[in-house]
Amino acid sequence: MPELKVLFATSEIAPLIKTGGLADVSGALPAALCKLGVDARVLVPGYTPVLAQLSQHNVVATFDSLPGFPPARLLMGDMESDVPLLVLDCPELYQRAGGPYQDTSGHDWPDNARRFALLSRVAAILASGDSPLPWKADILHCNDWQTGLAPAYLNLWHSGTPSVMTIHNMAFQGVFPPHLLNELHLPPSSFGIDGVEYYGNLSFLKAGLYYADHITTVSPNYANEIQHERLGFGMQGLLAQRRDDLTGILNGIDTDEWNPASDGYLAKTYSATRMAGKAANKQALQQRMGLSVEPDRPLLGVISRFTYQKGLDLLLEIAPRLVELPVQLVMLGSGEPGMQDAARALAARYPGRIAAHVGFSEELSHLIEAGADMFVMPSRFEPCGLNQFYSQRYGTPPIVHATGGLADSVIDCTPETLKDGSASGFVFSGMTADNLHTTILRAVELYRDQKQWKALRKNCMDKDFSWQRSAEAYLEIYRKVLER
Ligand code: ADP
Ligand code: GLC
């Protein structure tokens, strides 16, 4: 059987450009697919940092006259993982200071519709018979709203190649005013309930969910949750209607990048059978963050976008009570200014007990995973979540709300689950500050019994979260879609 060719279109990819978990997935899933014999290539916009990190590249195509878009070029480079990388170079749309979606002061780029419509349009072209490359994808795999228009373009202008749309987060839908339809080269006939229209506007995500041949999302539990009003963000009807074409596949993790036995960001490496290094990381973390160096005081870690989704408001609310327990708390993240201020204020009020680093730091995130004793993730909703996997792998049991992928990947610690070796963290239902507090108390109590705590840590570290199983599940979807 000839190799299956997959074009994986994404708006971020680790280690080149990252704002969240989508980058981690884009950096690892195509590589895992390649290991299964798939010829996967990744398409990503040529943002300034991406171009700066391309050591060498060839221009493999030019797009001079795409209706509605400035001229663009396609560059081909290689990533560390050897997955061929196609970089869409369009200086007018992508080369600027700031993030992939927002300027330096946190405002969405005003031309985001055009920026990601171009990405989608080029993805559709590369997957179709109109591709200027000798390589033509058998499957177009799109991710989140930024590439949601690609299945629409593919159906409306090109046709032929099937597409798969992966939802990483229903909360971001790429909604824009309807007058852009023409500018983005979408035919008026597509602006309806059976098309790109969403409550009178144009939604890139809706377009993807409507036109893609198959929809996946990043955990089985979330695949169910989004078919209902509470977490469907207005698209539950369409998703329920398409439930036979909707599959939840739990994300994996890059086990080379996140490996306590070889992690270059750590003060000392360690493994399940050589745990001494973990204490050295705790000490390094305490010192670096200005916490008092106390080896036996439980240290809670947080790495997160500071948003309503992540439920950090609850943690900030109970932080003064936690200090009394006593525990220490270290937070890394950025996002809503109110939460950033609250985190900084707590650190100022409880020096030596609470520390906060507002900003993005890959390096510190690894040290927190290794140095903390427990990891807190009280997300209101969480399509999959990755830090609960990293935490388990680093022997830092996660404390999570029972939602989305968190419920699918953390097993609550009870006398029974401890005994049968499945316990891997602490799970609470009912999104209240008291429930979170009680659950942290539960964790702290178990921590006092170091024998049991070590058993829990070992369970966590023995788990296999590598991508292989999930990549096989994606491959099965591709095959099914092609058979149709
Ligand atoms: P989401 O994509 O919703 O933000 P995930 O848990 O899937 O949530 O992935 C978040 C990823 O981003 C993880 O790899 C996490 O470590 C990383 N991350 C989030 N905030 C920061 C930060 N401030 N500094 C470094 N890494 C961060
Ligand atoms: C999104 C979700 C997160 C998921 C990530 C990667 O950002 O919020 O839960 O892990 O995508 O799929």
Side-chain angles (χ1 to χ4, degrees), residues 219 221-222 225 231 381-384 401-409:
S219 68
N221 190 31
Y222 192 62
E225 289 172 336
L231 290 177
F381 64 94
E382 194 64 79
C384 180
H401 178 220
T403 185
L406 298 176
D408 283 338
S409 58

Side-chain angles (χ1 to χ4, degrees), residues 18-204:
K18 166 165 167 178
T19 71
L22 171 59
D24 296 28
V25 173
S26 305
L29 171 57
L33 287 165
C34 287
K35 283 197 188 129
L36 298 179
V38 173
D39 176 3
R41 302 191 178 187
V42 179
L43 174 69
V44 66
Y47 311 112
T48 307
V50 170
L51 293 177
Q53 290 169 82
L54 276 188
S55 50
Q56 56 174 42
H57 63 257
N58 302 320
V59 180
V60 290
T62 51
F63 302 94
D64 289 331
S65 51
L66 282 180
F69 298 107
R73 306 186 305 168
L74 195 64
L75 316 177
M76 174 117 156
D78 273 332
M79 291 198 300
E80 250 172 60
S81 65
D82 292 335
V83 178
L85 184 70
L86 295 163
V87 176
L88 180 58
D89 178 28
C90 178
E92 187 182 326
L93 296 185
Y94 306 128
Q95 279 189 43
R96 36 182 94 162
Y101 320 121
Q102 297 180 332
D103 63 20
T104 41
S105 42
H107 298 109
D108 285 355
W109 295 113
D111 55 352
N112 270 347
R114 245 174 127 224
R115 297 172 73 235
F116 295 108
L118 177 66
L119 178 65
S120 299
R121 188 68 204 258
V122 169
I125 292 172
L126 295 180
S128 75
D130 302 324
S131 171
L133 304 182
W135 184 92
K136 176 189 155 302
D138 302 311
I139 294 274
L140 173 60
H141 188 155
C142 302
N143 294 279
D144 274 353
W145 74 266
Q146 293 88 347
T147 48
L149 277 193
Y153 285 132
L154 201 53
N155 272 269
L156 297 164
W157 297 119
H158 305 286
S159 88
T161 305
S163 56
V164 172
M165 178 81 213
T166 296
I167 304 164
H168 296 266
N169 198 334
M170 287 295 300
F172 303 102
Q173 307 191 328
V175 176
F176 299 101
H179 70 81
L180 289 178
L181 203 69
N182 192 28
E183 208 176 290
L184 303 181
H185 203 230
L186 289 162
S189 61
S190 67
F191 194 71
I193 186 157
D194 292 327
V196 303
E197 185 264 353
Y198 178 65
Y199 293 104
N201 282 309
L202 157 64
S203 159
F204 282 34

Side-chain angles (χ1 to χ4, degrees), residues 12 18-25 168-169 172 251 258 303-306 309-310 332-334 357-366 369 375 377 382-388 390:
E12 47 184 277
K18 166 165 167 178
T19 71
L22 171 59
D24 296 28
V25 173
H168 296 266
N169 198 334
F172 303 102
N251 284 333
W258 294 92
I303 306 160
S304 183
R305 289 186 287 117
F306 286 178
Q309 173 191 345
K310 302 294 179 179
L332 163 65
S334 62
H357 178 104
V358 173
F360 199 93
S361 167
E362 192 66 33
E363 178 218 345
L364 181 56
S365 75
H366 286 243
E369 287 294 6
F375 192 90
M377 241 175 136
E382 194 64 79
C384 180
L386 295 172
N387 285 105
Q388 80 280 17
Y390 302 149

Side-chain angles (χ1 to χ4, degrees), residues 310-363:
K310 302 294 179 179
L312 286 184
D313 45 314
L314 296 191
L315 183 67
L316 297 170
E317 185 187 325
I318 62 167
R321 283 199 266 164
L322 295 178
V323 173
E324 305 294 315
L325 279 177
V327 301
Q328 293 181 335
L329 171 63
V330 57
M331 295 177 277
L332 163 65
S334 62
E336 283 166 24
M339 284 192 204
Q340 296 186 164
D341 292 346
R344 285 196 189 104
L346 280 167
R349 193 166 144 206
Y350 300 103
R353 297 271 179 272
I354 297 182
H357 178 104
V358 173
F360 199 93
S361 167
E362 192 66 33
E363 178 218 345

